[in-house]
């Protein structure tokens, strides 16, 4: 198992959930949830886990609870690193 930190940029209030592409060094995570009460953050963590084919417990928020820019720790097999690279290159999931 490997653990790696990943920067994400959350776009709350989107028409649909989409993970992929970059904003600077961060992976863009668009979610329909509004940025109220942590709902967009939780939706983004769930969406990222699904895009990486992991369970939600394998994606942990490190910093940025109230910001659109967040750092998360992802725990999984070596294949996860390849999936992260795919998302950065714009392969939306």
């Amino acid at each position: 198992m490997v653990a790696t930190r990943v920067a994400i940029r959350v776009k709350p209030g989107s028409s649909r959930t989409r993970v992929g592409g970059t904003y600077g060094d961060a992976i863009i995570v668009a979610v329909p949830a509004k940025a109220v009460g942590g709902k967009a953050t939780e939706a983004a963590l769930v969406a990222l886990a699904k895009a990486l084919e992991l369970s939600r417990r394998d994606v942990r928020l490190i910093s940025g609870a109230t910001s659109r820019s967040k750092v998360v720790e992802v725990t999984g097999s070596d294949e996860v690193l390849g999936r992260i690279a795919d998302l950065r290159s714009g392969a939306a999931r």
Side-chain angles (χ1 to χ4, degrees):
M1 297 296 265
V2 295
T4 187
R5 291 191 177 191
V6 178
I8 64 171
R9 176 72 176 194
V10 178
K11 290 191 168 187
S14 296
S15 61
R16 63 186 175 96
T17 300
R18 182 178 177 277
V19 181
T22 57
Y23 179 88
D25 292 335
I27 296 172
I28 297 171
V29 182
V31 294
K34 300 290 181 194
V36 177
K39 292 182 184 199
T41 297
E42 182 58 27
L45 297 177
V46 168
L48 182 61
K50 185 176 179 181
L52 295 174
E53 300 175 17
L54 298 171
S55 67
R56 166 60 182 89
R57 71 175 176 265
D58 295 327
V59 178
R60 184 172 64 103
L61 181 66
I62 299 297
S63 67
T66 59
S67 171
R68 288 183 185 210
S69 296
K70 303 177 186 306
V71 175
V72 298
E73 185 174 77
V74 177
T75 305
S77 67
D78 291 333
E79 293 174 4
V80 171
L81 299 176
R83 291 183 200 134
I84 291 170
D86 289 345
L87 291 175
R88 280 198 174 111
S89 70
R93 293 183 181 207

